[in-house]
Amino acid sequence: MTDAGAWSTIKRLACGDRTRMVEILRSSDGRFRYDVLRWQRYYAPSPADAGPVEGGLWGGTQSGSYSTAEAAERDALAANLWLKD
């Protein structure tokens, strides 16, 4: 049985300095969305973490659902002007 909530990355769009990125994702049921990721040097550990967590790209904004990858990418480009840098 396929997990209806499973998403896989099909494309990544990064700004010039790679501190921000948009991922276009596809769900197991054929829907699409985009996630905006931003570089963060450090975040406070949760009780499940062994200690401080070092920098990386972390999720920020998640779009709604789209019927095509092209529609998700078009809206991601329009909403995140830094992608055109």
Side-chain angles (χ1 to χ4, degrees):
M1 176 178 221
T2 304
D3 179 6
W7 292 87
S8 57
T9 301
I10 60 168
K11 188 172 188 177
R12 290 187 171 102
L13 308 166
C15 69
D17 65 2
R18 298 205 164 298
T19 59
R20 293 172 287 187
M21 181 180 297
V22 168
E23 290 185 330
I24 309 296
L25 300 105
R26 183 179 191 273
S27 71
S28 55
D29 63 351
R31 299 296 293 173
F32 298 87
R33 75 167 198 241
Y34 68 85
D35 290 353
V36 179
L37 308 174
R38 295 180 186 274
W39 179 263
Q40 188 171 328
R41 284 191 190 275
Y42 164 86
Y43 74 87
S46 74
D49 294 323
V53 178
E54 296 301 321
L57 287 167
W58 303 103
T61 306
Q62 192 176 86
S63 74
S65 182
Y66 297 88
S67 59
T68 66
E70 292 79 14
E73 184 174 344
R74 181 182 60 244
D75 280 4
L77 290 167
N80 298 282
L81 298 178
W82 48 262
L83 281 171
K84 296 174 182 163
D85 291 344

